[in-house]
């Protein structure tokens, strides 16, 4: 066995440290590092924000002279490139670390194995794969963006026991309890962008901002194919940037940047008279969004499921009934047979205030 019980506990600690950057490292990954000698932790560090130091140099500095001959536990493969900061590999080598254990490789094309290679070439013992599932989970968005160019998409919906999300007249606010709405704040805070549709903006006029104590607001994104959102919509008000996606129009194509108040408008092509959701997500990837939280009604939810663009689904269930005239969770084409029904794996259930929160992932088979 490559890893001892101490290795595991040190990596667990590094993951704990990495998680401190949950709301702040965007667009960088959350990374933690621990230095240990003779099964004793002698240094700790975590990456707080892009532009600031990486986890490894902080841990090395906190260990001082004790870094020499130590083992470094890092939740991500140490970087080998000159970015906003110098390569961590150089810092590790200069410090005299003897062994490096990392959880997962860094899929950033600028690193992608080169960090591990340089350490090995310099004679450092390198082991990887310890607690890789946990480390992947912490940076699911960064990993996905680096690998396939688009962000990790998390859909959030609130529904009644009978799976209804809004009355027929559109009224949908306050179905779930205040505790659930407070919980949603944490998911927004860890997202690079929060996305909704013009339908939701017109029906609910949400702000979709973060109101817990963080100094970063996610980009707010509205899919507004037909430019129905007005300047007075609350989502356009500060704080934070707003981006509207509208249908590409062949006629007027000026060089001028289109704006709606302070919000920027970008044009994307349509696919079967809806905005091409794959394109939208790819564009958000280009804008360095790692995680998108989608808060929307049945139409967009259905389209995202149909496009295979939901990576995780947070479903808050309120103990109430809304009846069959109320709106469903997702507008899907009529199913001819049960075998065609989209199915999910239940990853977690949690009681939140008076509600139940389900965390689901689409079943791939
Ligand atoms: C590490 N340790 O703590 C982090 C790493 O612009 P920079 O210089 O901050 O570089 C960002 C890239 O470095 C990021 O895309 C990812 O590949 C890696 N992040 N690497 O060894 C860290 N945050
Ligand atoms: Zn680094």
């Amino acid at each position: 066995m490559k890893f001892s019980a101490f290795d595991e506990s040190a990596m667990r600690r590094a993951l704990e440290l990495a998680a401190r950057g949950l709301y702040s490292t965007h667009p960088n990954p959350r990374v933690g590092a621990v230095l240990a000698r003779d099964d004793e932790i002698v240094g700790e560090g975590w990456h707080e924000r892009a532009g600031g130091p990486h986890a490894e140099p902080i841990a090395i500095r906190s260990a001082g002279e004790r870094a020499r001959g130590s083992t470094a536990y890092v939740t991500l493969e140490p970087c080998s490139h000159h970015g906003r900061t110098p390569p961590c590999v150089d810092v590790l080598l200069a410090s005299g670390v003897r062994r490096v254990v990392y959880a997962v490789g860094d899929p950033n094309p600028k690193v992608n194995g080169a960090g591990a290679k340089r350490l090995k070439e310099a004679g450092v013992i390198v082991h990887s794969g310890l607690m890789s599932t946990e480390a992947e989970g912490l940076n699911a968005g960064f990993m996905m963006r680096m690998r396939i160019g688009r962000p990790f998409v998390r859909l959030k919906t609130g529904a009644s026991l009978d799976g209804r999300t809004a009355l027929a007249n559109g009224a949908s606010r306050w179905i779930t309890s205040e505790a659930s709405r407070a919980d949603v704040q944490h998911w927004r805070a860890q997202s690079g962008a929060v996305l909704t549709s013009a339908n939701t903006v017109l029906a609910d006029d949400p702000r979709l901002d973060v109101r817990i104590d963080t100094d970063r607001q996610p980009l707010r994104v509205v899919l507004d194919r037909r430019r129905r959102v007005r300047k007075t919509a609350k989502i356009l008000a500060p704080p934070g940037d707003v981006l509207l996606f509208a249908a590409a129009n062949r006629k007027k194509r000026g060089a001028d940047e289109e704006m709606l108040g302070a919000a920027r408008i970008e044009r994307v092509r349509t696919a079967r008279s809806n905005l091409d959701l794959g394109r939208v997500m790819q564009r958000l990837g280009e804008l360095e969004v790692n995680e998108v939280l989608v808060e929307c009604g049945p139409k967009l939810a259905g389209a995202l499921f149909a496009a295979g663009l939901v990576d995780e689904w947070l479903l808050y269930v309120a103990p109430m009934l809304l009846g069959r005239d109320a709106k469903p969770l997702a507008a899907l084409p009529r199913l001819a047979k049960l075998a065609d029904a989209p199915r999910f794996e239940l990853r977690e259930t949690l009681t939140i205030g008076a509600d139940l929160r389900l965390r689901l992932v689409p079943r791939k088979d």
Side-chain angles (χ1 to χ4, degrees), residues 40-72:
E40 187 202 339
I41 291 181
V42 296
E44 293 188 337
W46 53 284
H47 181 56
E48 187 176 3
R49 62 187 70 250
H54 286 185
E56 301 90 320
I58 298 177
I60 289 166
R61 204 176 320 128
S62 80
E65 262 315 297
R66 298 205 284 174
R68 195 154 297 280
S70 68
T71 295

Side-chain angles (χ1 to χ4, degrees), residues 28-29 31 47 54-56 76-79 81 83-85 88 106 108 111 142 146:
N28 273 0
V31 184
H47 181 56
H54 286 185
E56 301 90 320
L76 186 71
E77 177 190 5
C79 70
H81 69 296
R84 282 166 278 217
T85 67
C88 288
D106 183 349
N108 184 343
V111 184
F142 175 80
M146 287 296 155

